[in-house]
Amino acid sequence: MNDYLSKIKPAVCQASAYTLSHFQAPVKINQNENPYDLPDVIKRAIVESVEKMSWCRYPAFVPSRLIGKLAAFSGWKEEGILVGNGSNELIQALLMVTAEPGKRVVISEPTFTLYRLMSTILGAEPVSVLMTQGLQFDVPSLLEASRTADVTILCRPNNPTGSMLEETALRKILSAASGLVVVDEAYHEFSGTSAVPLLAEFSNLVVLRTFSKAMSMAGLRVGYLMTAPELAGEIGKAKLPYNLNIFSMAAAEAAVEHAHLLRPVIQELVQERERILCEMKDIAAVKPYPSHANFVAFRTPLDANVVFESLYGEGILIRDVSRYPMLDKTLRVSVGTPDENNRFLTSLRNLMRSVDQTPG
């Protein structure tokens, strides 16, 4: 029998798949989702829009109406916007047209592992630039690496650390880079900042956004990319045709039209994030890291799986990120509702208290 696996690229066989074990818990604060569902008025607008459509027909090949609304919403030109089945599809499309053997993709790590996985599968050389010991962006090292990179990827704010790259540093990297600079803004709403205003100044900038986090639409899979029109045209060649279904398009349009209804929720999540950080600082032996996103990374003296299992046993699901570079004994908790956050804090506090009282 032929060894068909031998036909698979060696780099693919050696890579670890992007995966997440499936757990269920009453308090689910492990995937950086918005804990509040879309307001009913937005849901009704989506349903009314879809009911008027012919479901037997393909969606628009170019979703011009949605792109127009995104242009008005974001402040960027229509011809420089691409939409996708989540921002993950757009990350893939971008790397498909840039990454190949001999190309270097600089990645600030620890970060979202899909960047490295896709770069590796496509044959490029992923170049890791580790964060500082305080889990902040190492700007001097990024500047140096970007000078010889074909693509530099920056998650801003960064997942899973919550770190923020200041605009002055981003400007320096954009000016120094020999290739594209990709800024993933999946969590930008929680930081109050965006790289979009820099698009008019830097033609090598690519900005990615998603509706999965602040916009409460993780289940509908919508993302968009903004860059110079010439670049958008080339990246668009790697997108699959009819990549966005009519439900997702209608949902994105409705969310943009009613964005004012989502802003108070975003502000509440930011306030809860700050409360969580403040309370975690008072828990003995717990080290939370400052965050500009809707989650908090924290380290304890315990193995991360011990903390995870203890909280999961109490119906609280968070994320073990200890296998990421530099994140030994580190976990990440998403900002939930006040009640969910209180349950998490109480359980973590009790766990650490029991450890402190264990005879040594």
Side-chain angles (χ1 to χ4, degrees), residues 195-244:
V196 168
L198 302 180
L199 285 167
E201 187 176 346
F202 295 97
S203 59
N204 61 333
L205 173 61
V206 179
V207 179
L208 293 162
R209 284 184 177 177
T210 181
F211 280 74
S212 295
K213 310 302 180 182
M215 304 297 275
S216 294
M217 283 172 45
L220 286 162
R221 314 305 301 131
V222 183
Y224 61 110
L225 175 154
M226 293 170 283
T227 191
E230 297 80 9
L231 270 176
E234 297 304 316
I235 297 168
K237 294 176 182 178
K239 290 198 307 104
L240 293 174
Y242 306 111
N243 61 327
L244 207 59

mmCIF file of all heavy atoms in Angstrom, residues 195-244:
data_model
loop_
_atom_site.group_PDB
_atom_site.id
_atom_site.type_symbol
_atom_site.label_atom_id
_atom_site.label_comp_id
_atom_site.label_asym_id
_atom_site.label_seq_id
_atom_site.Cartn_x
_atom_site.Cartn_y
_atom_site.Cartn_z
ATOM 1 N N ALA A 195 -5.159 51.360 14.552
ATOM 2 C CA ALA A 195 -4.130 51.718 13.570
ATOM 3 C C ALA A 195 -4.731 52.220 12.272
ATOM 4 O O ALA A 195 -3.991 52.634 11.370
ATOM 5 C CB ALA A 195 -3.237 50.503 13.288
ATOM 6 N N VAL A 196 -6.047 52.208 12.150
ATOM 7 C CA VAL A 196 -6.690 52.606 10.888
ATOM 8 C C VAL A 196 -6.281 54.005 10.423
ATOM 9 O O VAL A 196 -6.045 54.207 9.223
ATOM 10 C CB VAL A 196 -8.223 52.467 11.002
ATOM 11 C CG1 VAL A 196 -8.918 53.144 9.822
ATOM 12 C CG2 VAL A 196 -8.607 50.991 11.052
ATOM 13 N N PRO A 197 -6.177 55.016 11.309
ATOM 14 C CA PRO A 197 -5.748 56.337 10.833
ATOM 15 C C PRO A 197 -4.381 56.340 10.163
ATOM 16 O O PRO A 197 -4.068 57.255 9.394
ATOM 17 C CB PRO A 197 -5.737 57.178 12.117
ATOM 18 C CG PRO A 197 -6.752 56.526 13.000
ATOM 19 C CD PRO A 197 -6.584 55.053 12.731
ATOM 20 N N LEU A 198 -3.565 55.319 10.431
ATOM 21 C CA LEU A 198 -2.225 55.255 9.824
ATOM 22 C C LEU A 198 -2.239 54.695 8.410
ATOM 23 O O LEU A 198 -1.236 54.767 7.706
ATOM 24 C CB LEU A 198 -1.294 54.404 10.699
ATOM 25 C CG LEU A 198 -1.102 54.860 12.154
ATOM 26 C CD1 LEU A 198 -0.146 53.918 12.878
ATOM 27 C CD2 LEU A 198 -0.578 56.288 12.207
ATOM 28 N N LEU A 199 -3.377 54.143 7.982
ATOM 29 C CA LEU A 199 -3.453 53.553 6.644
ATOM 30 C C LEU A 199 -3.171 54.575 5.548
ATOM 31 O O LEU A 199 -2.559 54.250 4.523
ATOM 32 C CB LEU A 199 -4.831 52.927 6.421
ATOM 33 C CG LEU A 199 -5.098 51.592 7.127
ATOM 34 C CD1 LEU A 199 -6.579 51.254 7.085
ATOM 35 C CD2 LEU A 199 -4.269 50.474 6.500
ATOM 36 N N ALA A 200 -3.616 55.783 5.742
ATOM 37 C CA ALA A 200 -3.413 56.823 4.727
ATOM 38 C C ALA A 200 -1.954 57.243 4.623
ATOM 39 O O ALA A 200 -1.522 57.790 3.604
ATOM 40 C CB ALA A 200 -4.282 58.032 5.059
ATOM 41 N N GLU A 201 -1.196 56.963 5.667
ATOM 42 C CA GLU A 201 0.205 57.380 5.720
ATOM 43 C C GLU A 201 1.174 56.274 5.320
ATOM 44 O O GLU A 201 2.235 56.546 4.741
ATOM 45 C CB GLU A 201 0.520 57.859 7.142
ATOM 46 C CG GLU A 201 1.881 58.469 7.325
ATOM 47 C CD GLU A 201 2.084 58.999 8.738
ATOM 48 O OE1 GLU A 201 1.082 59.133 9.479
ATOM 49 O OE2 GLU A 201 3.243 59.267 9.104
ATOM 50 N N PHE A 202 0.804 55.017 5.605
ATOM 51 C CA PHE A 202 1.717 53.889 5.361
ATOM 52 C C PHE A 202 1.060 52.879 4.425
ATOM 53 O O PHE A 202 0.112 52.184 4.804
ATOM 54 C CB PHE A 202 2.095 53.215 6.679
ATOM 55 C CG PHE A 202 2.889 54.096 7.612
ATOM 56 C CD1 PHE A 202 2.255 54.793 8.631
ATOM 57 C CD2 PHE A 202 4.258 54.227 7.459
ATOM 58 C CE1 PHE A 202 2.969 55.604 9.492
ATOM 59 C CE2 PHE A 202 4.998 55.039 8.315
ATOM 60 C CZ PHE A 202 4.354 55.736 9.334
ATOM 61 N N SER A 203 1.592 52.772 3.225
ATOM 62 C CA SER A 203 1.008 51.865 2.230
ATOM 63 C C SER A 203 1.361 50.407 2.488
ATOM 64 O O SER A 203 0.818 49.518 1.833
ATOM 65 C CB SER A 203 1.474 52.262 0.819
ATOM 66 O OG SER A 203 2.895 52.222 0.735
ATOM 67 N N ASN A 204 2.258 50.145 3.438
ATOM 68 C CA ASN A 204 2.623 48.765 3.772
ATOM 69 C C ASN A 204 1.834 48.225 4.961
ATOM 70 O O ASN A 204 2.092 47.122 5.447
ATOM 71 C CB ASN A 204 4.124 48.654 4.058
ATOM 72 C CG ASN A 204 4.573 49.502 5.246
ATOM 73 O OD1 ASN A 204 3.958 50.530 5.560
ATOM 74 N ND2 ASN A 204 5.653 49.100 5.898
ATOM 75 N N LEU A 205 0.861 48.974 5.445
ATOM 76 C CA LEU A 205 0.072 48.572 6.612
ATOM 77 C C LEU A 205 -1.169 47.787 6.200
ATOM 78 O O LEU A 205 -1.884 48.164 5.265
ATOM 79 C CB LEU A 205 -0.338 49.815 7.405
ATOM 80 C CG LEU A 205 -1.308 49.614 8.583
ATOM 81 C CD1 LEU A 205 -0.710 48.688 9.640
ATOM 82 C CD2 LEU A 205 -1.684 50.963 9.197
ATOM 83 N N VAL A 206 -1.419 46.689 6.915
ATOM 84 C CA VAL A 206 -2.636 45.895 6.755
ATOM 85 C C VAL A 206 -3.287 45.779 8.127
ATOM 86 O O VAL A 206 -2.626 45.380 9.096
ATOM 87 C CB VAL A 206 -2.342 44.484 6.205
ATOM 88 C CG1 VAL A 206 -3.632 43.688 6.068
ATOM 89 C CG2 VAL A 206 -1.601 44.562 4.874
ATOM 90 N N VAL A 207 -4.567 46.130 8.229
ATOM 91 C CA VAL A 207 -5.288 46.070 9.505
ATOM 92 C C VAL A 207 -6.389 45.017 9.408
ATOM 93 O O VAL A 207 -7.164 44.999 8.450
ATOM 94 C CB VAL A 207 -5.899 47.437 9.872
ATOM 95 C CG1 VAL A 207 -6.673 47.337 11.195
ATOM 96 C CG2 VAL A 207 -4.803 48.495 9.985
ATOM 97 N N LEU A 208 -6.446 44.157 10.401
ATOM 98 C CA LEU A 208 -7.464 43.110 10.473
ATOM 99 C C LEU A 208 -8.413 43.371 11.638
ATOM 100 O O LEU A 208 -7.972 43.770 12.726
ATOM 101 C CB LEU A 208 -6.802 41.736 10.682
ATOM 102 C CG LEU A 208 -5.956 41.197 9.541
ATOM 103 C CD1 LEU A 208 -5.035 40.103 10.056
ATOM 104 C CD2 LEU A 208 -6.845 40.660 8.436
ATOM 105 N N ARG A 209 -9.693 43.143 11.401
ATOM 106 C CA ARG A 209 -10.690 43.275 12.465
ATOM 107 C C ARG A 209 -11.677 42.109 12.404
ATOM 108 O O ARG A 209 -11.815 41.455 11.373
ATOM 109 C CB ARG A 209 -11.465 44.597 12.330
ATOM 110 C CG ARG A 209 -10.676 45.820 12.774
ATOM 111 C CD ARG A 209 -11.532 47.054 12.693
ATOM 112 N NE ARG A 209 -10.846 48.237 13.184
ATOM 113 C CZ ARG A 209 -11.374 49.459 13.152
ATOM 114 N NH1 ARG A 209 -12.580 49.643 12.628
ATOM 115 N NH2 ARG A 209 -10.704 50.489 13.630
ATOM 116 N N THR A 210 -12.371 41.897 13.520
ATOM 117 C CA THR A 210 -13.350 40.822 13.592
ATOM 118 C C THR A 210 -14.619 41.298 14.274
ATOM 119 O O THR A 210 -14.595 42.243 15.070
ATOM 120 C CB THR A 210 -12.773 39.618 14.367
ATOM 121 O OG1 THR A 210 -13.740 38.569 14.401
ATOM 122 C CG2 THR A 210 -12.426 39.999 15.797
ATOM 123 N N PHE A 211 -15.733 40.621 13.971
ATOM 124 C CA PHE A 211 -16.998 40.863 14.661
ATOM 125 C C PHE A 211 -17.195 39.863 15.802
ATOM 126 O O PHE A 211 -18.236 39.863 16.444
ATOM 127 C CB PHE A 211 -18.164 40.728 13.673
ATOM 128 C CG PHE A 211 -18.380 41.933 12.808
ATOM 129 C CD1 PHE A 211 -17.519 42.212 11.753
ATOM 130 C CD2 PHE A 211 -19.434 42.803 13.035
ATOM 131 C CE1 PHE A 211 -17.716 43.326 10.949
ATOM 132 C CE2 PHE A 211 -19.646 43.905 12.238
ATOM 133 C CZ PHE A 211 -18.780 44.177 11.188
ATOM 134 N N SER A 212 -16.198 39.013 16.057
ATOM 135 C CA SER A 212 -16.369 37.915 17.006
ATOM 136 C C SER A 212 -16.240 38.315 18.464
ATOM 137 O O SER A 212 -16.715 37.602 19.341
ATOM 138 C CB SER A 212 -15.340 36.812 16.715
ATOM 139 O OG SER A 212 -15.569 36.231 15.462
ATOM 140 N N LYS A 213 -15.605 39.428 18.744
ATOM 141 C CA LYS A 213 -15.318 39.788 20.132
ATOM 142 C C LYS A 213 -16.279 40.871 20.620
ATOM 143 O O LYS A 213 -17.350 40.565 21.124
ATOM 144 C CB LYS A 213 -13.851 40.224 20.259
ATOM 145 C CG LYS A 213 -12.854 39.251 19.646
ATOM 146 C CD LYS A 213 -12.947 37.855 20.237
ATOM 147 C CE LYS A 213 -11.928 36.916 19.607
ATOM 148 N NZ LYS A 213 -12.016 35.541 20.115
ATOM 149 N N ALA A 214 -15.910 42.118 20.474
ATOM 150 C CA ALA A 214 -16.745 43.200 21.001
ATOM 151 C C ALA A 214 -18.123 43.242 20.360
ATOM 152 O O ALA A 214 -19.101 43.650 20.994
ATOM 153 C CB ALA A 214 -16.041 44.548 20.802
ATOM 154 N N MET A 215 -18.226 42.801 19.110
ATOM 155 C CA MET A 215 -19.483 42.911 18.378
ATOM 156 C C MET A 215 -20.436 41.733 18.621
ATOM 157 O O MET A 215 -21.474 41.634 17.971
ATOM 158 C CB MET A 215 -19.206 43.044 16.880
ATOM 159 C CG MET A 215 -18.286 44.201 16.521
ATOM 160 S SD MET A 215 -18.949 45.819 16.941
ATOM 161 C CE MET A 215 -19.948 46.151 15.487
ATOM 162 N N SER A 216 -20.086 40.819 19.535
ATOM 163 C CA SER A 216 -20.992 39.741 19.982
ATOM 164 C C SER A 216 -21.429 38.794 18.863
ATOM 165 O O SER A 216 -22.546 38.281 18.883
ATOM 166 C CB SER A 216 -22.241 40.336 20.646
ATOM 167 O OG SER A 216 -21.923 41.009 21.837
ATOM 168 N N MET A 217 -20.555 38.553 17.885
ATOM 169 C CA MET A 217 -20.958 37.728 16.747
ATOM 170 C C MET A 217 -19.991 36.578 16.483
ATOM 171 O O MET A 217 -19.760 36.179 15.342
ATOM 172 C CB MET A 217 -21.088 38.597 15.492
ATOM 173 C CG MET A 217 -22.366 39.411 15.469
ATOM 174 S SD MET A 217 -22.434 40.615 14.098
ATOM 175 C CE MET A 217 -21.876 39.638 12.722
ATOM 176 N N ALA A 218 -19.434 35.979 17.544
ATOM 177 C CA ALA A 218 -18.490 34.875 17.360
ATOM 178 C C ALA A 218 -19.114 33.711 16.603
ATOM 179 O O ALA A 218 -18.434 33.011 15.848
ATOM 180 C CB ALA A 218 -17.969 34.400 18.721
ATOM 181 N N GLY A 219 -20.415 33.507 16.772
ATOM 182 C CA GLY A 219 -21.082 32.396 16.114
ATOM 183 C C GLY A 219 -21.398 32.628 14.652
ATOM 184 O O GLY A 219 -21.830 31.698 13.957
ATOM 185 N N LEU A 220 -21.169 33.844 14.150
ATOM 186 C CA LEU A 220 -21.530 34.159 12.764
ATOM 187 C C LEU A 220 -20.329 34.315 11.839
ATOM 188 O O LEU A 220 -20.488 34.366 10.620
ATOM 189 C CB LEU A 220 -22.391 35.425 12.732
ATOM 190 C CG LEU A 220 -23.819 35.182 13.222
ATOM 191 C CD1 LEU A 220 -24.501 36.493 13.605
ATOM 192 C CD2 LEU A 220 -24.624 34.475 12.153
ATOM 193 N N ARG A 221 -19.123 34.412 12.398
ATOM 194 C CA ARG A 221 -17.892 34.376 11.625
ATOM 195 C C ARG A 221 -17.813 35.456 10.553
ATOM 196 O O ARG A 221 -18.009 35.214 9.362
ATOM 197 C CB ARG A 221 -17.676 33.004 10.958
ATOM 198 C CG ARG A 221 -17.895 31.785 11.847
ATOM 199 C CD ARG A 221 -17.057 31.807 13.116
ATOM 200 N NE ARG A 221 -15.644 31.872 12.829
ATOM 201 C CZ ARG A 221 -14.816 32.750 13.403
ATOM 202 N NH1 ARG A 221 -15.281 33.641 14.261
ATOM 203 N NH2 ARG A 221 -13.539 32.758 13.103
ATOM 204 N N VAL A 222 -17.501 36.670 10.976
ATOM 205 C CA VAL A 222 -17.296 37.781 10.041
ATOM 206 C C VAL A 222 -16.050 38.553 10.460
ATOM 207 O O VAL A 222 -15.869 38.876 11.637
ATOM 208 C CB VAL A 222 -18.498 38.752 10.021
ATOM 209 C CG1 VAL A 222 -18.267 39.845 8.964
ATOM 210 C CG2 VAL A 222 -19.790 38.016 9.748
ATOM 211 N N GLY A 223 -15.201 38.840 9.481
ATOM 212 C CA GLY A 223 -14.041 39.684 9.725
ATOM 213 C C GLY A 223 -13.805 40.564 8.517
ATOM 214 O O GLY A 223 -14.390 40.355 7.453
ATOM 215 N N TYR A 224 -12.953 41.572 8.670
ATOM 216 C CA TYR A 224 -12.608 42.402 7.516
ATOM 217 C C TYR A 224 -11.180 42.899 7.607
ATOM 218 O O TYR A 224 -10.584 42.946 8.684
ATOM 219 C CB TYR A 224 -13.602 43.540 7.299
ATOM 220 C CG TYR A 224 -13.769 44.563 8.395
ATOM 221 C CD1 TYR A 224 -13.318 45.880 8.232
ATOM 222 C CD2 TYR A 224 -14.437 44.263 9.574
ATOM 223 C CE1 TYR A 224 -13.527 46.849 9.201
ATOM 224 C CE2 TYR A 224 -14.647 45.215 10.553
ATOM 225 C CZ TYR A 224 -14.191 46.514 10.373
ATOM 226 O OH TYR A 224 -14.398 47.467 11.341
ATOM 227 N N LEU A 225 -10.641 43.194 6.440
ATOM 228 C CA LEU A 225 -9.253 43.614 6.277
ATOM 229 C C LEU A 225 -9.236 44.970 5.593
ATOM 230 O O LEU A 225 -10.028 45.213 4.675
ATOM 231 C CB LEU A 225 -8.512 42.569 5.448
ATOM 232 C CG LEU A 225 -7.065 42.795 5.012
ATOM 233 C CD1 LEU A 225 -6.379 41.436 4.792
ATOM 234 C CD2 LEU A 225 -6.941 43.626 3.729
ATOM 235 N N MET A 226 -8.331 45.848 6.048
ATOM 236 C CA MET A 226 -8.194 47.173 5.445
ATOM 237 C C MET A 226 -6.730 47.429 5.087
ATOM 238 O O MET A 226 -5.840 47.192 5.907
ATOM 239 C CB MET A 226 -8.694 48.244 6.422
ATOM 240 C CG MET A 226 -10.187 48.178 6.682
ATOM 241 S SD MET A 226 -10.724 49.264 8.047
ATOM 242 C CE MET A 226 -10.195 48.295 9.458
ATOM 243 N N THR A 227 -6.504 47.886 3.878
ATOM 244 C CA THR A 227 -5.151 48.176 3.430
ATOM 245 C C THR A 227 -5.230 49.043 2.177
ATOM 246 O O THR A 227 -6.321 49.445 1.745
ATOM 247 C CB THR A 227 -4.370 46.872 3.158
ATOM 248 O OG1 THR A 227 -2.985 47.184 2.960
ATOM 249 C CG2 THR A 227 -4.913 46.140 1.935
ATOM 250 N N ALA A 228 -4.086 49.328 1.581
ATOM 251 C CA ALA A 228 -4.059 50.083 0.330
ATOM 252 C C ALA A 228 -4.830 49.303 -0.738
ATOM 253 O O ALA A 228 -4.743 48.075 -0.793
ATOM 254 C CB ALA A 228 -2.617 50.301 -0.114
ATOM 255 N N PRO A 229 -5.618 49.977 -1.569
ATOM 256 C CA PRO A 229 -6.422 49.285 -2.584
ATOM 257 C C PRO A 229 -5.633 48.318 -3.455
ATOM 258 O O PRO A 229 -6.124 47.232 -3.786
ATOM 259 C CB PRO A 229 -7.008 50.434 -3.403
ATOM 260 C CG PRO A 229 -7.103 51.567 -2.426
ATOM 261 C CD PRO A 229 -5.881 51.436 -1.563
ATOM 262 N N GLU A 230 -4.410 48.686 -3.824
ATOM 263 C CA GLU A 230 -3.613 47.808 -4.674
ATOM 264 C C GLU A 230 -3.296 46.491 -3.948
ATOM 265 O O GLU A 230 -3.348 45.412 -4.545
ATOM 266 C CB GLU A 230 -2.301 48.500 -5.073
ATOM 267 C CG GLU A 230 -2.480 49.757 -5.904
ATOM 268 C CD GLU A 230 -2.840 50.986 -5.062
ATOM 269 O OE1 GLU A 230 -2.789 50.895 -3.804
ATOM 270 O OE2 GLU A 230 -3.157 52.030 -5.663
ATOM 271 N N LEU A 231 -2.988 46.592 -2.665
ATOM 272 C CA LEU A 231 -2.719 45.393 -1.882
ATOM 273 C C LEU A 231 -3.982 44.567 -1.691
ATOM 274 O O LEU A 231 -3.959 43.338 -1.773
ATOM 275 C CB LEU A 231 -2.154 45.785 -0.505
ATOM 276 C CG LEU A 231 -0.633 45.912 -0.382
ATOM 277 C CD1 LEU A 231 -0.267 46.399 1.013
ATOM 278 C CD2 LEU A 231 0.031 44.574 -0.661
ATOM 279 N N ALA A 232 -5.089 45.243 -1.421
ATOM 280 C CA ALA A 232 -6.359 44.540 -1.228
ATOM 281 C C ALA A 232 -6.700 43.715 -2.460
ATOM 282 O O ALA A 232 -7.193 42.577 -2.352
ATOM 283 C CB ALA A 232 -7.476 45.532 -0.915
ATOM 284 N N GLY A 233 -6.436 44.259 -3.634
ATOM 285 C CA GLY A 233 -6.724 43.537 -4.864
ATOM 286 C C GLY A 233 -5.929 42.255 -4.991
ATOM 287 O O GLY A 233 -6.444 41.229 -5.459
ATOM 288 N N GLU A 234 -4.665 42.289 -4.559
ATOM 289 C CA GLU A 234 -3.825 41.094 -4.644
ATOM 290 C C GLU A 234 -4.209 40.075 -3.571
ATOM 291 O O GLU A 234 -4.287 38.873 -3.835
ATOM 292 C CB GLU A 234 -2.345 41.476 -4.517
ATOM 293 C CG GLU A 234 -1.832 42.380 -5.632
ATOM 294 C CD GLU A 234 -2.062 41.788 -7.006
ATOM 295 O OE1 GLU A 234 -1.806 40.575 -7.199
ATOM 296 O OE2 GLU A 234 -2.516 42.522 -7.907
ATOM 297 N N ILE A 235 -4.449 40.534 -2.355
ATOM 298 C CA ILE A 235 -4.837 39.621 -1.273
ATOM 299 C C ILE A 235 -6.175 38.958 -1.597
ATOM 300 O O ILE A 235 -6.401 37.777 -1.313
ATOM 301 C CB ILE A 235 -4.907 40.376 0.071
ATOM 302 C CG1 ILE A 235 -3.526 40.919 0.448
ATOM 303 C CG2 ILE A 235 -5.432 39.462 1.184
ATOM 304 C CD1 ILE A 235 -3.545 41.911 1.601
ATOM 305 N N GLY A 236 -7.061 39.719 -2.216
ATOM 306 C CA GLY A 236 -8.380 39.201 -2.548
ATOM 307 C C GLY A 236 -8.350 38.013 -3.492
ATOM 308 O O GLY A 236 -9.305 37.227 -3.531
ATOM 309 N N LYS A 237 -7.266 37.856 -4.236
ATOM 310 C CA LYS A 237 -7.154 36.717 -5.155
ATOM 311 C C LYS A 237 -7.096 35.382 -4.418
ATOM 312 O O LYS A 237 -7.387 34.337 -5.000
ATOM 313 C CB LYS A 237 -5.906 36.878 -6.027
ATOM 314 C CG LYS A 237 -5.967 38.046 -6.988
ATOM 315 C CD LYS A 237 -4.655 38.218 -7.748
ATOM 316 C CE LYS A 237 -4.697 39.424 -8.683
ATOM 317 N NZ LYS A 237 -3.402 39.625 -9.395
ATOM 318 N N ALA A 238 -6.729 35.412 -3.136
ATOM 319 C CA ALA A 238 -6.608 34.173 -2.364
ATOM 320 C C ALA A 238 -7.874 33.834 -1.585
ATOM 321 O O ALA A 238 -7.936 32.778 -0.957
ATOM 322 C CB ALA A 238 -5.428 34.274 -1.403
ATOM 323 N N LYS A 239 -8.868 34.716 -1.619
ATOM 324 C CA LYS A 239 -10.130 34.424 -0.933
ATOM 325 C C LYS A 239 -10.966 33.464 -1.773
ATOM 326 O O LYS A 239 -10.959 33.526 -3.003
ATOM 327 C CB LYS A 239 -10.948 35.709 -0.704
ATOM 328 C CG LYS A 239 -10.348 36.647 0.312
ATOM 329 C CD LYS A 239 -11.367 37.653 0.833
ATOM 330 C CE LYS A 239 -12.069 38.422 -0.264
ATOM 331 N NZ LYS A 239 -13.418 37.983 -0.523
ATOM 332 N N LEU A 240 -11.681 32.598 -1.116
ATOM 333 C CA LEU A 240 -12.586 31.714 -1.837
ATOM 334 C C LEU A 240 -13.810 32.485 -2.314
ATOM 335 O O LEU A 240 -14.254 33.429 -1.635
ATOM 336 C CB LEU A 240 -13.031 30.553 -0.937
ATOM 337 C CG LEU A 240 -11.935 29.569 -0.534
ATOM 338 C CD1 LEU A 240 -12.475 28.563 0.469
ATOM 339 C CD2 LEU A 240 -11.382 28.851 -1.759
ATOM 340 N N PRO A 241 -14.391 32.121 -3.442
ATOM 341 C CA PRO A 241 -15.590 32.817 -3.908
ATOM 342 C C PRO A 241 -16.772 32.540 -2.981
ATOM 343 O O PRO A 241 -16.879 31.468 -2.397
ATOM 344 C CB PRO A 241 -15.822 32.222 -5.306
ATOM 345 C CG PRO A 241 -15.118 30.904 -5.281
ATOM 346 C CD PRO A 241 -13.944 31.077 -4.379
ATOM 347 N N TYR A 242 -17.634 33.529 -2.860
ATOM 348 C CA TYR A 242 -18.835 33.429 -2.016
ATOM 349 C C TYR A 242 -18.468 32.994 -0.592
ATOM 350 O O TYR A 242 -19.094 32.116 -0.004
ATOM 351 C CB TYR A 242 -19.840 32.443 -2.626
ATOM 352 C CG TYR A 242 -20.188 32.749 -4.060
ATOM 353 C CD1 TYR A 242 -19.768 31.909 -5.090
ATOM 354 C CD2 TYR A 242 -20.932 33.886 -4.385
ATOM 355 C CE1 TYR A 242 -20.078 32.189 -6.417
ATOM 356 C CE2 TYR A 242 -21.242 34.182 -5.705
ATOM 357 C CZ TYR A 242 -20.818 33.337 -6.718
ATOM 358 O OH TYR A 242 -21.128 33.628 -8.023
ATOM 359 N N ASN A 243 -17.449 33.617 -0.054
ATOM 360 C CA ASN A 243 -16.922 33.187 1.240
ATOM 361 C C ASN A 243 -17.772 33.627 2.422
ATOM 362 O O ASN A 243 -17.618 33.123 3.532
ATOM 363 C CB ASN A 243 -15.489 33.706 1.432
ATOM 364 C CG ASN A 243 -15.423 35.231 1.403
ATOM 365 O OD1 ASN A 243 -16.185 35.875 0.689
ATOM 366 N ND2 ASN A 243 -14.516 35.804 2.162
ATOM 367 N N LEU A 244 -18.673 34.573 2.194
ATOM 368 C CA LEU A 244 -19.514 35.067 3.285
ATOM 369 C C LEU A 244 -20.974 34.776 2.950
ATOM 370 O O LEU A 244 -21.475 35.190 1.908
ATOM 371 C CB LEU A 244 -19.302 36.578 3.475
ATOM 372 C CG LEU A 244 -19.553 37.134 4.878
ATOM 373 C CD1 LEU A 244 -18.646 36.467 5.899
ATOM 374 C CD2 LEU A 244 -19.344 38.638 4.897
#
